[in-house]
Amino acid sequence: FTSIPVVETAASSNSFSAPQVLDLSKWSVVQYEFFDQPDANWVLSQTNTVAVQTVNADASILLSDIVLSNDQIQGTWSVQTSSDDDFIGFVFGFQDTNHFYLFDWKRADQADPIVGFAERGMSLKLVKASSQLTEPDIWQTHAPDTNRVQLLYHNTISWDPFTEYQFTLNFHAGEFTINVAQGPNTITNIVVAETTYTSGKFGFYNDS
């Protein structure tokens, strides 16, 4: 399963104000029904600041009740098993189930005869589908139809199990930065100029 402690978010402004810890009890689950695996099971800690997804499941999002525009959000991921190698990550700029930015992170290459090839590493995708998403749309690193899902960035850095990673998302209209670190060491810092979605909800993402 994937353990996802949320740390903090900063209020909207050009210079961020004092951070606040988010209450995940107000968040909702978006479940994609690809009928390949069971539904996800997001379990919250007693403090409602940590979510654990416990099922090898079809893609799902634990979606916030807040809209980010000129904001910073920070959090921590860890994968508490060595038995799988699939996707962790988050969405932002979420408009609806077919329109958002997706940052996903895969441990290992995987070629599937039905849904296609997913390459290890971090990917940033622009999801802009005019109809319900299919599993190949978001499973493949290079989606079969770029009018539905467009790859904006990719590297081949893998995540390791039983390891805590910290992320910071700075989301501004027209530009965003994603920093991923392990303790004091920065793993990657991604800067993208993109104007499709200038605000939207944030959510944690898990697939399989």
Side-chain angles (χ1 to χ4, degrees):
F1 54 84
T2 305
S3 175
I4 310 175
V6 173
V7 179
E8 59 190 18
T9 185
S12 175
S13 64
N14 289 329
S15 58
F16 296 122
S17 61
Q20 54 186 319
V21 177
L22 296 174
D23 179 359
L24 302 184
S25 68
K26 301 176 183 178
W27 293 29
S28 58
V29 176
V30 175
Q31 179 64 57
Y32 290 93
E33 299 290 359
F34 299 141
F35 305 105
D36 183 33
Q37 298 186 103
D39 289 351
N41 181 44
W42 295 89
V43 179
L44 301 186
S45 65
Q46 290 186 340
T47 60
N48 293 321
T49 59
V50 178
V52 181
Q53 204 293 98
T54 66
V55 175
N56 196 37
D58 277 345
S60 66
I61 299 167
L62 183 64
L63 187 66
S64 75
D65 61 332
I66 58 172
V67 173
L68 301 182
S69 52
N70 290 312
D71 293 278
Q72 181 186 90
I73 188 165
Q74 300 176 8
T76 303
W77 299 293
S78 63
V79 178
Q80 296 297 312
T81 179
S82 59
S83 65
D84 211 348
D85 58 9
D86 293 321
F87 294 102
I88 61 173
F90 55 80
V91 304
F92 59 103
F94 184 96
Q95 312 296 304
D96 57 44
T97 55
N98 297 332
H99 297 87
F100 51 88
Y101 296 112
L102 169 61
F103 176 85
D104 65 29
W105 192 5
K106 198 170 189 310
R107 184 184 179 195
D109 292 346
Q110 189 171 352
D112 186 282
I114 297 174
V115 296
F117 180 67
E119 187 177 2
R120 76 181 188 277
M122 304 175 188
S123 296
L124 180 61
K125 302 170 182 177
L126 168 60
V127 179
K128 50 178 182 175
S130 59
S131 59
Q132 184 175 351
L133 286 173
T134 67
E135 192 168 12
D137 284 328
I138 53 178
W139 173 267
Q140 295 187 39
T141 304
H142 298 275
D145 184 349
T146 57
N147 291 317
R148 293 173 60 81
V149 178
Q150 179 182 346
L151 183 66
L152 302 177
Y153 172 87
H154 181 72
N155 64 36
T156 56
I157 300 169
S158 298
W159 53 258
D160 289 324
F162 309 107
T163 303
E164 283 202 347
Y165 298 99
Q166 298 77 41
F167 71 85
T168 301
L169 167 66
N170 288 310
F171 185 32
H172 302 282
E175 183 178 278
F176 43 83
T177 302
I178 298 169
N179 182 275
V180 180
Q182 183 183 352
N185 301 315
T186 294
I187 297 173
T188 193
N189 192 66
I190 304 164
V191 181
V192 174
E194 227 290 323
T195 60
T196 303
Y197 310 127
T198 57
S199 65
K201 292 183 177 181
F202 173 90
F204 285 111
Y205 176 79
N206 185 228
D207 187 5
S208 188

